[in-house]
Amino acid sequence: MPGIKGQRLIVTPDGEALHRISTLIDTGVVHVEVQDVLPLHMAAEAHRTSKIGQVRGKLLLTL
């Protein structure tokens, strides 16, 4: 489409960076908005909700 640009981004696992991010979350510097916590058997419903764009925050699945 005219005016639309794409860029490829390759992300590699980085344990140190993940630790720094978790520290920021734990100390409240970064806040993660959780919309809903659902049991694993509702994964298909969570996927449908996410796909239609009705999510403000993260959807979490529990085991």
Side-chain angles (χ1 to χ4, degrees):
M1 296 177 76
I4 303 294
K5 294 181 181 183
Q7 183 176 356
R8 184 176 180 172
L9 176 67
I10 298 174
V11 178
T12 58
D14 184 342
E16 186 178 323
L18 289 174
H19 178 71
R20 289 194 310 267
I21 292 167
S22 69
T23 300
L24 293 172
I25 293 169
D26 290 344
T27 59
V29 173
V30 173
H31 174 73
V32 178
E33 186 70 33
V34 176
Q35 175 174 316
D36 208 353
V37 179
L38 304 165
L40 184 58
H41 73 269
M42 293 185 69
E45 179 63 29
H47 186 267
R48 279 191 291 277
T49 301
S50 177
K51 191 173 181 177
I52 60 175
Q54 294 183 350
V55 179
R56 290 188 63 112
K58 300 295 181 187
L59 296 172
L60 304 179
L61 298 175
T62 60
L63 298 177

